[in-house]
């Protein structure tokens, strides 16, 4: 590892050389390489997270380019996973980036998680979030979840058995509409997700049991407490739950 590349972040006391080596030894699954996934992946790749698995089944289209900064005009028509892996490998050749062109489902999620210490949901639909949540619960792999709509965004960090999971909060709620997206807002929320992810890889969850809520219009950031649901179909102790402590 070329330590010079990371010198400025190793100056941060909570990182240092020990933290840098920890990041280099980490593997993270990022589901979604779009408006949230792109800036988040740049931040993780730049920070030297050693292995990134990028899962996305979509093709790059013109209406992506207002916010999906991993891609350029001449990427139109290409698979996002492949273009993301190529761009990130060029950005930081020291790390391994694996692009997987697929839509996440419960069946393939466990396979994608193999060898990963953490997963990130940077998707725009609830079924994919909940599928990743279930797979992470089975492997007890921490999960960082983020979402945006218009000026607003939220971030949550799940540690199974300790904090509420996504099914505690969202099981049975209406699917997302996902119509409004501005790069300035998705980029800000993606940076918050990346900061939470890096801290969790270093062993510290900065928002346990809280939903971080970003208002990019009123320019506020709030933490809202969230609670575990005893009847949660994933982490609850009921007959369908996994009964995670
Ligand atoms: Zn739960």
């Amino acid at each position: 590892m070329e330590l010079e590349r990371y010198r400025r972040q190793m100056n941060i006391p909570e990182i240092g050389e020990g933290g840098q080596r920890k990041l280099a030894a980490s593997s993270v699954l990022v589901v979604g390489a779009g408006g949230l996934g792109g800036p988040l992946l740049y931040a993780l790749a730049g920070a030297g997270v050693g292995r990134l698995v990028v899962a996305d089944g979509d093709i790059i289209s013109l209406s992506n380019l207002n916010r999906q900064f991993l891609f350029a005009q001449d990427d139109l028509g290409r698979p996002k996973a492949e273009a993301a892996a190529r761009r990130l490998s060029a950005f930081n050749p020291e790390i391994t980036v694996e692009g997987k062109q697929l839509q996440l489902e419960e069946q393939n999620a466990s396979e994608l998680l193999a060898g990963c210490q953490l997963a990130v949901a940077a998707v725009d639909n609830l079924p994919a979030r909940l599928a990743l949540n279930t797979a992470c619960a089975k492997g007890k792999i921490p999960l960082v979840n983020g979402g945006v709509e218009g000026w607003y965004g939220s971030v949550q960090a799940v540690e199974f058995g300790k904090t509420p999971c996504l099914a505690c909060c969202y099981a049975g709620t209406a699917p997302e509409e996902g119509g409004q997206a501005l790069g300035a807002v998705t980029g800000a929320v993606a940076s918050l997700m990346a900061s939470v992810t890096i801290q969790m890889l270093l062993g510290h969850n900065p928002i346990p049991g809280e939903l971080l809520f970003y208002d990019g219009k009123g320019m506020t950031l709030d933490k809202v407490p969230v609670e575990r649901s005893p009847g949660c179909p994933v982490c609850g102790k009921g007959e369908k739950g996994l009964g995670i402590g």
Side-chain angles (χ1 to χ4, degrees):
M1 179 169 55
E2 284 255 27
L3 289 178
E4 177 59 18
R5 179 187 287 266
Y6 309 108
R7 188 166 59 86
R8 296 294 286 269
Q9 67 191 47
M10 287 194 303
N11 288 342
I12 299 172
E14 288 80 5
I15 300 179
E17 191 179 330
Q20 193 58 51
R21 294 199 183 279
K22 217 174 201 175
L23 293 178
S26 298
S27 290
V28 174
L29 168 65
V30 177
V31 182
L36 291 174
L40 168 108
L41 282 159
Y42 265 131
L44 299 186
V49 173
R51 178 173 166 259
L52 295 169
V53 182
V54 184
D56 196 309
D58 290 347
I59 300 294
I60 300 158
S61 66
L62 189 57
S63 67
N64 297 149
L65 298 186
N66 76 317
R67 66 195 184 282
Q68 302 193 10
F69 307 140
L70 268 174
F71 313 125
Q73 184 81 18
D74 61 4
D75 289 320
L76 292 177
R78 291 192 179 130
K80 288 185 184 177
E82 178 202 304
R86 198 180 51 241
R87 188 79 19 100
L88 293 164
S89 298
F91 177 55
N92 187 351
E94 285 200 332
I95 62 168
T96 304
V97 186
E98 298 168 25
K100 310 276 185 187
Q101 197 199 341
L102 49 82
Q103 302 290 352
L104 187 103
E105 290 161 3
E106 229 174 282
Q107 291 86 329
N108 58 27
S110 303
E111 208 170 299
L112 290 169
L113 281 168
C116 291
Q117 283 79 44
L118 189 143
V120 181
V123 292
D124 59 1
N125 71 90
L126 190 57
R129 288 184 205 286
L130 293 177
L132 185 59
N133 182 72
T134 302
C136 286
K138 286 178 183 159
K140 276 208 161 194
I141 295 169
L143 170 63
V144 174
N145 180 58
V148 281
E149 181 63 23
W151 295 105
Y152 310 103
S154 66
V155 182
Q156 191 176 348
V158 179
E159 291 173 280
F160 293 92
K162 234 166 122 182
T163 71
C165 80
L166 301 190
C168 287
C169 303
Y170 303 111
T173 62
E176 294 156 62
E177 297 288 328
Q180 305 177 15
L182 174 71
V185 176
T186 51
V189 175
S191 276
L192 295 172
M193 293 167 73
S195 193
V196 170
T197 299
I198 288 167
Q199 290 186 67
M200 288 184 77
L201 292 174
L202 295 173
H204 171 66
N205 180 356
I207 47 168
E210 289 166 320
L211 188 72
L212 194 60
F213 185 77
Y214 175 72
D215 174 350
K217 189 178 169 195
M219 289 298 164
T220 57
L221 192 59
D222 288 299
K223 286 178 176 181
V224 181
V226 283
E227 286 184 5
R228 283 185 77 181
S229 160
C232 173
V234 175
C235 74
K237 289 184 175 168
E239 59 182 80
K240 279 193 281 176
L242 299 172
I244 297 169

